[in-house]
Amino acid sequence: MKGPSLMDSLFQRSIDDLIKSLRLTPPGTEPAFIAKAIEEVRREIKSSDPHTKSSALQKLTYLHSLHGIDISWAAFHFVELSSSAAHSHKRTAYLSAALSFNPATTDVILLLTHQLRKDLSSPNAHDVSLALSTLSSICNPDLARDLTPDLFTLLSSSKVTVRRKAIATVLRVFEQYPDAVRVCFKRVVENLENSDLGILSAVVGLFCELTENEPRSYLPLAPEFYKVLLDCKNNWVLIKVLKIFAKLAPLEPRLGKRMVEPICEIMRTMGAKSLVFECVRTILTSLSEHDSAVKLAVGKVREFLLEDDPNLKYLGLQALAIAAQKNILAVVENKDLVVKALSDSDVNIRLEALRLVMCIVSEDNVMEICRILISHALKSDPEFCNEILGFILLTCGRNYYQVIFDFDWYVLFLGEMARVPHCQKGDEIATQLIDISMRVKDARSQLVHVTRELVIDPALLGNPFMHAVLAAAAWVSGEYIKLSRNPFEIMEALLQPRTSLLSPSVRAVYIHSAFKVLMFCMHSYLRLNGDNSSFPSALIDSELVSDVEVDDQNMIVTNGRPLSASSVTDHLAQESILALVNLAEINLGPLAGSNEVEVLERSTNVLGLIKLIKPMLLGSLDNGEGDQTKGELKASETVKLIFDSCSEDLGPISVNAQERVLIPNGLVLKENLDDLEEICGDVKLPLLTSFSLVRPQFPEASSNVDCQGKEESEPASESTSLLAEHWKRHSLYYLAPGNTMATSNDYPPAHDPKDKVTDEAEDLVKLTEKSIITGKTPSQTKPRPVVVKFDDGEVTNVATNRTETKAVLISGAVNKVILGDEATAPSSSRRKPPKSRRVTDESSFGIAKIDQSEHSKAGLGGSKHHGHGKERRRRSSAKDKEHDRKDKQKSDKHRSRHRADKALEAQAPVIPDFLL
């Protein structure tokens, strides 16, 4: 492609023309216009005229910034234009390079080294500023290494703007080339004494960033920072100094005693809210052991909370959250303002207030706080309502439900939480329901009762946010069916027609739970039918009823009276079991052709089992006593085998359990299995297992029709119940009432919480007046149930990165420079640091400096003493040369040990004496 002609250069479009044309472009044609503009730029950029090339680069940079156009192909032209003598052209080239160059992948960056060095030494301050800005944007290890000497010179420049930008660029150079610390660090420290506010602000900002990762290396500079804290009156400089001291104070306790009084004085005298907030945060995070300072800081926090400005109120809540980590009483003292903030119009303020309320939750007040927050969630918008529910679940489930003492209450509370309108925390609620069922054995009875209310309510099936909760409820109902008052009722709820509204994964859980219920009822029937003369009472207590002596509510009741052994036998009669089998067959038959694999597999398993058992039951009804017993024995063998496989209790499993399984010798997990086809090509796996995949034939339902006629003649009780109305419309899919146990009529309506919604102001007053002082002994009478835990804490092992970070390398170089072990500048620019600064610091604190080198001198003197004694012994006893040789070896060992001790002593950071 040829370069632009003279006419093209004369009529070249400027960047203003490009912007105006792009704005006038019809919608949908922007890509074509941009492509055409790029083609024009490609021709113009090849021009030898600097003005034409500069205009082309301006347009290219604009398209890159606003439309994301790739301009890496023009990188060399940026470098070429940067050598122009005109400042406007140089500015365009450097701007384009700073925006488009990638320090890791752009190869032409190294071509800028010479030009950057030339501009850094230019007498024009504007050219130097451009070079420094570009260096900080595209700096890589090679550029940092080559330009460190030039940067060192600029750190002492007489031009304030140049020195300020050089100090700011040092941070980027240190990150890319840690060895630059040995050259530039001491000169950077000298700028802490500069009287210019801009330079001081730049150098304090530099140290604020350096102390973020490795603050211990900068402890020896505490006197300089302390002097800035006392002398400087600029708010932003003081804020950065306070950030530095917040990192240094936890490392040296003596430093906190020195800092407290100046910081408290700033809080009392300064009116700038930003500076006062930084003082408060420094005290609450790093000086929390000083009670007087903390009390003053909490008072300032209350002033923030009383402000009408939402920004200041938000900062006050954040400061109170910091104080709550070490001093929860600070939140208790301001609980009235925190509760009031829950009703603020600003969502961020409401969230911060909610976090603070959850910080004061304990075993004594968890029930009251959760009740009030739930009533508050019912009146809130959907987003904040779910935030409240999420915080409640997170707080109550933390550390294996540490704050939960009454699990029966908490399980009931989870059921009510799932019915809250706009609830979208179904996954979290489902996880806790299953987790509690496996960890807390004593809570399973109440858990089965709660999940039963969720499963039997058909109105909940249409809410997609409830599907995860319903899946957990169905799993619990099937897994612990022996604790249920009425297994037949659970079976009807799991197989009702409205389950078609569920997702395939949830419906698969329903079918699998129905399989467990069916196996439990079959196993119970066979056990009862096996020995009618001596009825096993333990079966009623442990399998059909959940511990009658402990909880009378779980007792099976018929017409207000406890269920006797004979009535249980009647309910578990052969006709009722056959009706239960027919119910499962009718509802699961259409699912045998489902396209969903999980639904298909589980429904086919149930139908296959029914196909094996149902002929035995039908045969035993028609044949005599001998055949009946034989049929039941055959059925019991199949049922017992499956029931035993499902009867073992499931417990929690640690996430690290798989890592503890040793790999067998000779097993290669990563080996390619492509050759398996050749080895096992002749082996044909059977298509059918023990369960039949044939679509079942539905039996005649003449007997069911007779039962339905009897049912219609009986008066219906509690016809207003949702389930009762649903049962009337779909009676074909339900068991007849004569074959089922007595069902309770207390079906909860959909989305109807148990507690009445109270007035919001009254709830907030109750929470304000309630004593929320932690540390009380729980007032519950019964002991807390056992919660299953693991020794490893169920924490996933995360591999730590042991490679040295750049922050560690910078810290090591700083230590060496401060201890005087490394050269700090080129020989041409090396100069002695001012001595008056250290003398001033020592005199200002009134504490004499201890010369740590005296100990080293004493050690060296001891070594010399040994040397002189050895020479005297050599002169006095020339004959005993062997003794002198051994003595010399001991002396050499002493010198080497002394040098090693000095090296180790020099590695530790020097703590300033004013901290003593």
Side-chain angles (χ1 to χ4, degrees):
M1 182 181 296
K2 297 181 180 180
S5 62
L6 180 60
M7 294 299 296
D8 293 336
S9 300
L10 290 176
F11 296 97
Q12 181 188 20
R13 288 195 301 179
S14 64
I15 186 173
D16 295 335
D17 300 332
L18 177 66
I19 296 174
K20 292 178 181 178
S21 301
L22 188 58
R23 289 175 178 176
L24 295 175
T25 302
T29 61
E30 289 89 351
F33 178 83
I34 292 175
K36 183 178 179 181
I38 291 295
E39 291 299 326
E40 294 180 0
V41 170
R42 285 181 180 272
R43 292 195 304 268
E44 296 169 357
I45 207 171
K46 295 179 178 294
S47 173
S48 58
D49 181 25
H51 180 75
T52 303
K53 187 183 291 290
S54 176
S55 179
L57 288 185
Q58 288 180 5
K59 293 186 288 185
L60 198 61
T61 304
Y62 170 79
L63 294 175
H64 169 72
S65 301
L66 268 68
H67 299 278
I69 304 300
D70 182 23
I71 59 174
S72 58
W73 53 271
F76 180 77
H77 298 285
F78 303 157
V79 178
E80 184 180 11
L81 187 62
S82 64
S83 60
S84 175
H87 178 75
S88 59
H89 298 164
K90 193 184 296 292
R91 181 178 57 191
T92 301
Y94 278 144
L95 175 63
S96 303
L99 292 177
S100 62
F101 281 9
N102 187 340
T105 59
T106 305
D107 298 333
V108 298
I109 285 183
L110 295 180
L111 300 179
L112 272 177
T113 304
H114 176 71
Q115 187 60 43
L116 286 173
R117 182 182 290 113
K118 181 179 178 181
D119 291 332
L120 288 175
S121 58
S122 172
N124 188 350
H126 299 290
D127 291 346
V128 178
S129 298
L130 282 178
L132 288 172
S133 300
T134 306
L135 177 61
S136 63
S137 299
I138 65 173
C139 184
N140 60 12
D142 295 329
L143 278 179
R145 182 190 64 245
D146 296 337
L147 299 178
T148 294
D150 304 276
L151 189 61
F152 172 81
T153 305
L154 296 177
L155 290 175
S156 59
S157 174
S158 59
K159 300 175 182 178
V160 176
T161 56
V162 172
R163 190 189 297 192
R164 187 169 62 244
K165 287 196 174 183
I167 293 172
T169 309
V170 161
L171 177 63
R172 181 68 171 169
V173 174
F174 282 178
E175 292 176 351
Q176 297 296 325
Y177 183 59
D179 288 342
V181 175
R182 305 175 183 179
V183 178
C184 302
F185 187 78
K186 281 195 174 181
R187 184 158 289 186
V188 171
V189 173
E190 292 168 3
N191 284 282
L192 282 172
E193 294 184 345
N194 198 288
S195 59
D196 184 80
L197 188 59
I199 295 176
L200 182 61
S201 177
V203 69
V204 170
L206 171 63
F207 281 110
C208 184
E209 295 295 331
L210 291 175
T211 54
E212 189 69 27
N213 297 320
E214 292 291 335
R216 184 175 295 276
S217 302
Y218 306 93
L219 267 176
L221 300 178
E224 283 78 1
F225 298 138
Y226 187 84
K227 185 179 179 182
V228 174
L229 182 66
L230 294 180
D231 298 340
C232 185
K233 301 302 179 183
N234 183 269
N235 293 336
W236 297 113
V237 174
L238 290 177
I239 288 175
K240 293 183 182 296
V241 172
L242 289 172
K243 290 179 180 293
I244 295 174
F245 276 124
K247 299 293 191 305
L248 300 181
L251 304 177
E252 179 52 62
R254 298 172 295 176
L255 182 59
K257 299 177 182 179
R258 199 73 181 177
M259 292 168 46
V260 167
E261 189 57 34
I263 294 178
C264 292
E265 186 64 24
I266 292 175
M267 282 196 296
R268 296 189 190 99
T269 58
M270 291 294 186
K273 297 295 184 180
S274 57
L275 181 58
V276 173
F277 175 76
E278 195 61 42
C279 293
V280 169
R281 182 161 57 180
T282 302
I283 290 177
L284 295 178
T285 56
S286 304
L287 305 174
S288 57
E289 64 276 4
H290 301 275
D291 296 336
S292 59
V294 172
K295 186 177 181 180
L296 178 61
V298 173
K300 291 294 181 180
V301 170
R302 187 172 183 85
E303 294 179 7
F304 276 90
L305 296 176
L306 293 173
E307 293 285 346
D308 295 332
D309 188 354
N311 297 318
L312 297 179
K313 187 180 297 185
Y314 178 78
L315 290 178
L317 293 172
Q318 275 198 333
L320 207 57
I322 297 174
Q325 299 175 3
K326 298 180 180 180
N327 186 10
I328 194 64
L329 292 179
V331 184
V332 177
E333 293 173 359
N334 298 277
K335 62 181 183 293
D336 53 339
L337 298 177
V338 173
V339 173
K340 184 179 179 181
L342 284 174
S343 304
D344 196 273
S345 58
D346 192 333
V347 63
N348 295 318
I349 293 178
R350 295 203 305 265
L351 289 177
E352 285 295 327
L354 180 60
R355 292 188 182 97
L356 288 173
V357 170
M358 302 313 295
C359 287
I360 57 181
V361 173
S362 64
E363 292 181 358
D364 300 321
N365 56 33
V366 60
M367 294 184 182
E368 184 69 13
I369 291 180
C370 290
R371 182 188 65 81
I372 295 175
L373 287 179
I374 280 294
S375 63
H376 190 79
L378 293 172
K379 309 175 187 66
S380 304
D381 57 277
E383 182 179 0
F384 188 61
C385 173
N386 284 279
E387 290 289 346
I388 293 177
L389 300 181
F391 273 102
I392 292 176
L393 292 170
L394 179 64
T395 303
C396 294
R398 185 181 293 119
N399 196 15
Y400 306 107
Y401 314 97
Q402 183 179 9
V403 298
I404 302 301
F405 195 90
D406 187 356
F407 277 91
D408 290 344
W409 163 82
Y410 186 60
V411 167
L412 187 63
F413 180 73
L414 288 176
E416 296 175 0
M417 189 185 302
R419 295 175 179 271
V420 172
H422 311 297
C423 175
Q424 299 180 7
K425 298 295 180 180
D427 294 337
E428 291 83 352
I429 297 175
T431 300
Q432 291 199 6
L433 288 174
I434 296 177
D435 190 54
I436 292 175
S437 69
M438 293 188 294
R439 293 185 185 274
V440 189
K441 186 176 181 180
D442 296 340
R444 291 175 183 173
S445 177
Q446 180 68 14
L447 189 62
V448 170
H449 175 70
V450 171
T451 54
R452 169 250 179 199
E453 295 181 351
L454 294 173
V455 170
I456 67 175
D457 191 350
L460 300 178
L461 297 173
N463 185 1
F465 297 109
M466 285 289 295
H467 287 180
V469 179
L470 293 176
W475 184 88
V476 171
S477 300
E479 184 66 24
Y480 306 106
I481 187 62
K482 63 182 180 181
L483 302 177
S484 176
R485 288 183 289 176
N486 194 338
F488 292 89
E489 179 189 45
I490 300 298
M491 191 69 171
E492 290 180 353
L494 294 174
L495 297 178
Q496 58 181 299
R498 281 180 62 88
T499 55
S500 59
L501 300 175
L502 300 172
S503 61
S505 59
V506 178
R507 198 171 189 186
V509 177
Y510 266 61
I511 298 172
H512 192 62
S513 298
F515 176 78
K516 294 179 183 179
V517 175
L518 178 62
M519 292 310 306
F520 171 76
C521 294
M522 290 289 299
H523 184 264
S524 302
Y525 160 73
L526 292 175
R527 288 189 61 183
L528 291 175
N529 192 52
D531 188 3
N532 290 331
S533 59
S534 59
F535 182 77
S537 60
L539 185 62
I540 300 179
D541 296 337
S542 62
E543 295 185 355
L544 296 178
V545 187
S546 60
D547 202 355
V548 177
E549 290 78 13
V550 177
D551 189 0
D552 293 336
Q553 294 180 356
N554 290 330
M555 186 181 296
I556 303 176
V557 177
T558 305
N559 296 327
R561 293 177 296 176
L563 202 64
S564 63
S566 60
S567 61
V568 172
T569 306
D570 295 338
H571 282 289
L572 290 176
Q574 201 164 19
E575 290 80 2
S576 64
I577 294 296
L578 186 60
L580 189 68
V581 172
N582 290 334
L583 173 69
E585 189 175 15
I586 291 175
N587 285 276
L588 297 180
L591 300 180
S594 175
N595 295 327
E596 298 294 336
V597 177
E598 295 292 334
V599 176
L600 173 64
E601 181 180 0
R602 282 163 175 76
S603 59
T604 304
N605 289 342
V606 179
L607 294 174
L609 178 64
I610 292 175
K611 184 178 181 181
L612 292 176
I613 295 176
K614 190 172 182 180
M616 300 179 186
L617 295 176
L618 293 175
S620 60
L621 283 175
D622 298 336
N623 298 332
E625 293 292 334
D627 295 337
Q628 180 181 359
T629 304
K630 183 177 180 181
E632 289 181 354
L633 289 176
K634 291 181 180 180
S636 64
E637 295 176 359
T638 305
V639 171
K640 186 177 184 303
L641 180 63
I642 302 177
F643 179 79
D644 291 342
S645 64
C646 300
S647 60
E648 294 292 334
D649 288 341
L650 292 178
I653 300 177
S654 173
V655 294
N656 300 324
Q658 185 66 33
E659 299 178 0
R660 299 174 183 172
V661 179
L662 299 178
I663 300 177
N665 295 331
L667 178 62
V668 182
L669 297 178
K670 297 182 179 180
E671 186 176 358
N672 194 348
L673 300 180
D674 292 340
D675 298 335
L676 189 63
E677 183 67 24
E678 300 178 1
I679 299 175
C680 304
D682 299 334
V683 179
K684 296 182 179 179
L685 299 177
L687 295 178
L688 297 179
T689 60
S690 59
F691 297 124
S692 174
L693 297 176
V694 181
R695 187 181 184 90
Q697 299 293 330
F698 301 124
E700 297 294 334
S702 58
S703 59
N704 292 338
V705 174
D706 297 337
C707 295
Q708 294 173 13
K710 295 180 181 180
E711 171 215 336
E712 293 175 357
S713 63
E714 297 179 358
S717 60
E718 298 290 343
S719 59
T720 58
S721 172
L722 289 177
L723 188 60
E725 295 177 0
H726 181 77
W727 182 84
K728 286 183 179 181
R729 294 193 300 268
H730 303 280
S731 58
L732 176 64
Y733 299 97
Y734 290 90
L735 295 175
N739 296 332
T740 61
M741 297 185 181
T743 59
S744 61
N745 296 319
D746 54 344
Y747 301 131
H751 307 303
D752 186 15
K754 297 293 185 64
D755 296 335
K756 296 292 184 179
V757 178
T758 57
D759 185 72
E760 181 179 354
E762 295 180 359
D763 290 340
L764 297 180
V765 170
K766 288 181 180 180
L767 182 58
T768 305
E769 295 176 352
K770 185 176 180 60
S771 175
I772 318 180
I773 301 177
T774 59
K776 295 182 179 179
T777 304
S779 58
Q780 290 83 352
T781 56
K782 61 180 181 179
R784 184 175 186 266
V786 178
V787 181
V788 180
K789 302 178 183 179
F790 295 104
D791 295 336
D792 58 359
E794 301 184 38
V795 178
T796 307
N797 295 329
V798 180
T800 57
N801 187 9
R802 299 182 180 273
T803 59
E804 284 189 321
T805 60
K806 294 180 180 180
V808 176
L809 296 176
I810 295 175
S811 175
V814 168
N815 283 333
K816 293 179 180 180
V817 172
I818 292 179
L819 297 174
D821 293 337
E822 294 292 337
T824 60
S827 57
S828 59
S829 303
R830 187 176 301 167
R831 63 170 180 156
K832 295 182 180 180
K835 297 181 180 180
S836 59
R837 173 166 51 105
R838 179 64 61 189
V839 175
T840 303
D841 293 336
E842 294 167 3
S843 60
S844 62
F845 294 111
I847 299 175
K849 183 176 178 62
I850 300 174
D851 190 0
Q852 297 181 356
S853 63
E854 290 180 1
H855 177 71
S856 301
K857 293 179 179 178
L860 290 174
S863 300
K864 294 178 180 179
H865 175 71
H866 282 283
H868 292 310
K870 182 178 62 177
E871 292 176 0
R872 287 196 297 269
R873 285 194 299 272
R874 186 181 297 113
R875 290 193 298 268
S876 62
S877 56
K879 296 181 180 180
D880 197 1
K881 296 181 179 180
E882 184 66 23
H883 177 72
D884 291 340
R885 185 178 62 82
K886 292 181 180 180
D887 198 16
K888 183 178 179 181
Q889 291 178 354
K890 291 181 181 179
S891 178
D892 293 339
K893 290 181 179 178
H894 178 77
R895 291 193 185 97
S896 61
R897 189 184 304 112
H898 177 71
R899 287 193 296 268
D901 293 341
K902 281 189 62 181
L904 291 175
E905 185 178 342
Q907 289 179 3
V910 180
I911 306 301
D913 300 312
F914 85 96
L915 301 177
L916 295 173

